[in-house]
Amino acid sequence: MLLTIDVGNTNITMGVFDGEKLLGTFRMTTKRPRTSDEYGFMICGILEHRDIHAKEIDAVIIASVVPDIMHSLTSGIIKYLNVRPLIVSAGIKTGIQIVTENPKQIGPDRIVDAVAGYELFGGPVIVIDFGTATTYDLIGKNGTFEAGVTAPGIETAGRSLWGGAAMLPAIEIRKPESILAKETVSSMQAGLVYGAIGQTEYIVRKMKEKSGYMDAKVVATGGLGKIIAQETDCIDEYDPELTLNGLRLIYYKNIKR
């Protein structure tokens, strides 16, 4: 079985695949410092809880945007799963050609999403990941990573809002009953959610216009992506497991069969 690990700025998301079948997913927070033993013990414990024995994991692939935790995480995996993980980094086979000005600046998470978007939906495709940052990446018809847009994530914007304004409370991010809010909480929800919808529609439209890919498919992923995808016609598909499937696809591109 293959364990795929997406290390984001907020969460570490993991998925276990048996071939192409995703058996289950689980998460842990990224920001809490952990030792290699803690990582190994937690991963094994979660797997066992899902009725997956640690010895059944014979391959691991990781994409990470948090370099500081990688030594402890990889050491824990080697020690407890007895597997040396494949790390998504420069030189790995992806099937995607990056034609931006500085390809090394493209994060591994964006490359993984680009691979999944192109392999699963074809090109041209715009892949939107609603995470700590909201990223919009354009992959051309021949699998070229051509451009990207980076904006603050919805939760990131929310924390900035209530963290910087003493009179505003921390809130649950969800769509309010009406954009015509009549009290503080729903007014903040309206600003965050409808603001994200408007941003998404405008950026997608401009990316299509400037690239000439007016027929580009738009695929979204990320925790809050479902809220936005339900409220706009500019998103064609919402796939919460897009990144994990991208990791699976990259793994099999890099092993000898």
Side-chain angles (χ1 to χ4, degrees):
M1 292 183 185
L2 171 66
L3 175 63
T4 58
I5 304 178
D6 172 33
V7 181
N9 288 294
T10 304
N11 293 309
I12 300 172
T13 305
M14 307 189 190
V16 178
F17 286 90
D18 185 359
E20 296 184 3
K21 183 179 180 181
L22 181 60
L23 301 181
T25 64
F26 52 90
R27 291 188 178 196
M28 62 177 73
T29 58
T30 303
K31 293 183 179 179
R32 178 183 171 186
R34 295 184 177 95
T35 65
S36 59
D37 288 316
E38 286 175 314
Y39 277 119
F41 185 78
M42 289 180 70
I43 291 170
C44 289
I46 294 172
L47 289 172
E48 294 286 352
H49 185 69
R50 299 291 181 89
D51 296 321
I52 300 170
H53 197 282
K55 291 182 179 179
E56 295 180 271
I57 302 297
D58 52 22
V60 179
I61 182 169
I62 305 173
S64 173
V65 296
V66 188
D68 291 349
I69 75 163
M70 288 302 290
H71 177 73
S72 293
L73 177 60
T74 55
S75 296
I77 289 168
I78 293 169
K79 184 175 180 179
Y80 282 81
L81 299 182
N82 197 31
V83 175
R84 183 170 295 278
L86 176 66
I87 310 298
V88 178
S89 58
I92 198 170
K93 295 178 183 177
T94 64
I96 294 290
Q97 180 184 4
I98 303 174
V99 295
T100 57
E101 289 186 5
N102 192 340
K104 292 182 179 180
Q105 291 183 343
I106 305 300
D109 55 335
R110 299 176 81 155
I111 293 171
V112 170
D113 284 345
V115 170
Y118 181 72
E119 293 278 348
L120 299 177
F121 299 97
V125 61
I126 295 172
V127 179
I128 310 173
D129 191 340
F130 292 92
T132 305
T134 299
T135 56
Y136 304 77
D137 293 321
L138 175 66
I139 299 88
K141 61 181 67 178
N142 295 317
T144 51
F145 189 111
E146 299 186 6
V149 174
T150 306
I154 303 171
E155 288 189 14
T156 302
R159 286 194 296 271
S160 178
L161 184 62
W162 58 71
M167 295 293 289
L168 296 180
I171 63 167
E172 175 189 2
I173 297 176
R174 62 181 181 86
K175 180 190 171 188
E177 292 184 3
S178 171
I179 195 171
L180 301 177
K182 299 185 183 300
E183 41 74 37
T184 300
V185 170
S186 60
S187 74
M188 293 169 66
Q189 290 171 333
L192 289 168
V193 174
Y194 285 103
I197 294 167
Q199 177 194 91
T200 300
E201 293 178 341
Y202 182 82
I203 290 178
V204 167
R205 184 173 73 250
K206 297 303 288 186
M207 290 181 79
K208 286 184 176 183
E209 288 176 1
K210 294 297 183 180
S211 68
Y213 296 139
M214 298 304 296
D215 61 342
K217 193 152 194 174
V218 180
V219 181
T221 191
L224 292 173
K226 185 175 182 179
I227 297 175
I228 308 305
Q230 290 174 337
E231 300 300 325
T232 176
D233 293 333
C234 81
I235 295 175
D236 299 305
E237 300 281 349
Y238 172 71
D239 184 351
E241 275 82 48
L242 189 74
T243 306
L244 297 179
N245 271 300
L247 284 165
R248 173 182 62 81
L249 290 164
I250 290 174
Y251 174 77
Y252 286 113
K253 289 178 183 290
N254 285 270
I255 64 168
K256 295 180 180 179
R257 298 196 179 188

